[in-house]
Amino acid sequence: MKRYLSCLIAACLLFSCERNDAGMALDLSGNVAITLFAVGGAAGVVDTVKGTVDVTLPFGTDFTKVAPAIAVAPGATVTPASGTVVNMKTAVRFRVINGNIYKDYTANAIEEKVIQSFVVKGVQAEIDNNARTIKAMLPSGTDLSALTPEINLATGATVTPPGGQLIDFTNPVIYKITKGQVSIDYTVTITSPVRVAFLSTATSASDLVNPDEKAAWAWLSGNNPEAQFLPFSSIRDHSVDVSAFSAIWWHEDNTQDLPGIAFDAGVLAALKTYYANGGSFLLSSYGARYVEALGIIPAGKTPNNSFGDAAGKQWMEPNWSWGISFKGHENHPVFAGLTLTADKPYATAYTLSNGTYRLNHTAQWFVPDWGGYGSIANWRVQTGGIDLGSTEWDGDHNTVVTMAEFPGTTAHGKAIVIGSGCYDWYSEPDPGNAASQPVNGYLPNIYKMTANALRYLSK
C-alpha cells in the first residue's frame, strides 16, 4: 500500500512539473533596478540593495506636488509611473516589476539646507524647514531686547534682516530667506527660561494625582529647564527659599475648598513676604480663590462664583467651543501670539474645543448681582484689579471676570488670576468609554497664554 501511494505522489509531481514547463514557468531573470530618479535638476541617490531613494530638492519646492522622472531597467515598469505627481512630504513607495519579480523602493525627499546655522550668544538654534521656524533658548536672565544673531547661509542665499544686526527678540521676529526667485519667511523665536515655581499640595511631582495639575506640571517642566516643583510642605518646613523664584504658579484643580496647608501661618507669612518684596503669582483654576488669603485683594472680594463637577462626572459640550474674550486688552503681553477666533466681533481666543469632555472647574467674579459690585467699574474700584478677560460670549465684560491682573506697585509684586472653566489642561475621557478621549484642539492657546503670563510676571 505504501509503495502504491509513493508511486501515485511521484506521478502527480511529475504531471505538475510538466504543466509548469508547458505554460507556467516563472521568469526570474528580470532586472528591477531604478537607474535614474530625478526631480528637475536634482538627481536622487538610488540604493538597489537597500531599496531606497534619497533626493534633495531645491529651496522652496512644493513637496506635495513632485513629479519625479524615473528610468528603470529594460523590460521593467514602475508604479507610480515616471512623471506622476506624488506627495513627498512623507516617504513614497515605488514598485518596479520585471517579468515575475518585483522590488519596492522607498523614496525620501529633503529640502536643500539653505540656512546652514543660526547662532545667538553661542547657542545653536533649532531650524525647522517644514514649519519654517527657528528657535533657541538662552540662559536664564538673558536680555532678549538686544541680540545679534550670526547667520550662515548657503552660497547664493540672502537674509533680511542680515546677520550681525542688533535685534529685539522680546517677541518673535520674521526673517526673510531668499535664494534665486524664491523668498520664504521664517519665524525666529528666542526665549530664556524664567525661574518659576509650581506650587502644589503634593510632596513631589511624582505624587501628583489630579490629571489637570499633572498635565500643567508636565508642560512647564518640559518647556522650562529652570522650573521647580514647590510643595507647600517645603515652605512650611522652611526647606526652600521662595525669594529665589521670579514667579510662583499655583494651579489647584482638585477642590474648591482650598486645602488647610495653604492657610498654615508659616506658609502664609512666607508667601506674603515674598509678595511684599516684589514676587509675583499666577493663580489658576480653584487656585484663583487664594488671592484674598495672600492679601492681593481686600477681604471679602475673592471670586464669588465658584463651581465645577467632581471627578468622574465629566460631560461633553457638543456644539460650542469655549474661550476667553479680552476686548480692550488686545495688546497685553499675556495675549501675544494667541490664535483668535474669526466668529466674534471682539478679540477672543478659544481654549476648549467643542466635543471634548470637561469638569468646568471655575472660580470667577460674577459682577451684576453678587459681591456688591453692580458694574464692572465698581468691581475695578473695589478689587483694585484689571478685568483682562471674560467668557467668549461676554465681550464687554459686563457679566463675569474670568481673568484678572492685580498690578505691581513699589509695595508688592503683581498677580494674574485665571479662573475660567475653559482653562482646562486635561481632556477627560468619555465616562461611558474610557478608550475615547477627544483631544482639545485649543491647548496651544493655553500653552502660549501661560508662558506669556509667567514671563510677564517674572519681569
Side-chain angles (χ1 to χ4, degrees), residues 39-91:
V39 179
V45 177
V46 181
D47 188 323
T48 55
V49 176
K50 295 181 180 179
T52 60
V53 180
D54 295 301
V55 60
T56 300
L57 302 181
F59 181 63
T61 298
D62 183 353
F63 276 51
T64 65
K65 298 176 181 179
V66 177
I70 308 171
V72 294
T77 60
V78 61
T79 306
S82 177
T84 301
V85 175
V86 294
N87 181 355
M88 294 198 71
K89 287 183 74 70
T90 57

Side-chain angles (χ1 to χ4, degrees), residues 42 56-63 110-115 127-130 132 153-159 175-186:
T56 300
L57 302 181
F59 181 63
T61 298
D62 183 353
F63 276 51
I110 61 172
E111 186 177 74
E112 68 170 314
K113 192 176 181 180
V114 170
I115 308 174
I127 302 168
D128 187 332
N129 288 313
N130 290 321
R132 305 300 185 191
L153 302 175
T155 302
T158 60
V159 58
Y175 275 73
K176 184 180 292 294
I177 310 296
T178 301
K179 187 179 182 190
Q181 301 301 309
V182 177
S183 292
I184 297 176
D185 289 344
Y186 279 70

Side-chain angles (χ1 to χ4, degrees), residues 264-274:
D264 176 87
V267 168
L268 280 176
L271 293 178
K272 286 182 176 181
T273 299
Y274 167 80

Side-chain angles (χ1 to χ4, degrees), residues 237-438:
D237 300 338
H238 309 289
S239 59
V240 65
D241 180 8
V242 295
S243 67
F245 304 112
S246 57
I248 295 176
W249 176 21
W250 189 20
H251 182 66
E252 168 59 49
D253 194 66
N254 194 50
T255 175
Q256 294 183 49
D257 297 322
L258 299 182
I261 194 170
F263 300 95
D264 176 87
V267 168
L268 280 176
L271 293 178
K272 286 182 176 181
T273 299
Y274 167 80
Y275 183 59
N277 289 335
S280 297
F281 290 98
L282 174 60
L283 304 171
S284 54
S285 192
Y286 294 140
R289 304 185 71 239
Y290 205 33
V291 284
E292 183 178 336
L294 291 173
I296 295 172
I297 61 171
K301 297 304 176 182
T302 195
N304 58 12
N305 190 205
S306 184
F307 54 88
D309 295 292
K313 300 295 183 181
Q314 59 265 35
W315 51 280
M316 189 255 284
E317 165 53 60
N319 300 313
W320 310 108
S321 293
W322 293 359
I324 296 174
S325 64
F326 44 97
K327 180 181 178 181
H329 299 289
E330 293 87 347
N331 295 322
H332 195 289
V334 169
F335 302 119
L338 298 190
T339 299
L340 305 186
T341 177
D343 62 358
K344 300 291 182 186
Y346 41 81
T348 301
Y350 286 140
T351 56
L352 187 58
S353 306
N354 64 305
T356 55
Y357 289 87
R358 76 274 325 262
L359 295 173
N360 196 19
H361 288 177
T362 302
Q364 63 190 13
W365 286 272
F366 188 81
V367 175
D369 300 325
W370 308 327
Y373 303 119
S375 69
I376 192 63
N378 285 338
W379 177 89
R380 294 168 186 154
V381 171
Q382 293 182 39
T383 64
I386 299 171
D387 48 305
L388 289 181
S390 185
T391 60
E392 76 283 348
W393 47 263
D394 186 18
D396 293 320
H397 301 186
N398 290 324
T399 306
V400 295
V401 177
T402 61
M403 186 171 177
E405 177 184 354
F406 298 91
T409 69
T410 55
H412 57 72
K414 51 195 172 192
I416 287 179
V417 171
I418 307 175
S420 172
C422 63
Y423 184 73
D424 201 342
W425 284 83
Y426 176 76
S427 297
E428 303 288 334
D430 181 343
N433 178 14
S436 174
Q437 193 170 9

Side-chain angles (χ1 to χ4, degrees), residues 30-34 46-52 72 76-79 93-98 100-106:
N31 187 341
V32 288
I34 290 179
V46 181
D47 188 323
T48 55
V49 176
K50 295 181 180 179
T52 60
V72 294
T77 60
V78 61
T79 306
R93 189 188 73 173
F94 291 85
R95 174 166 290 185
V96 179
I97 301 175
N98 198 344
N100 294 110
I101 63 172
Y102 71 86
K103 186 176 183 64
D104 288 336
Y105 291 81
T106 300

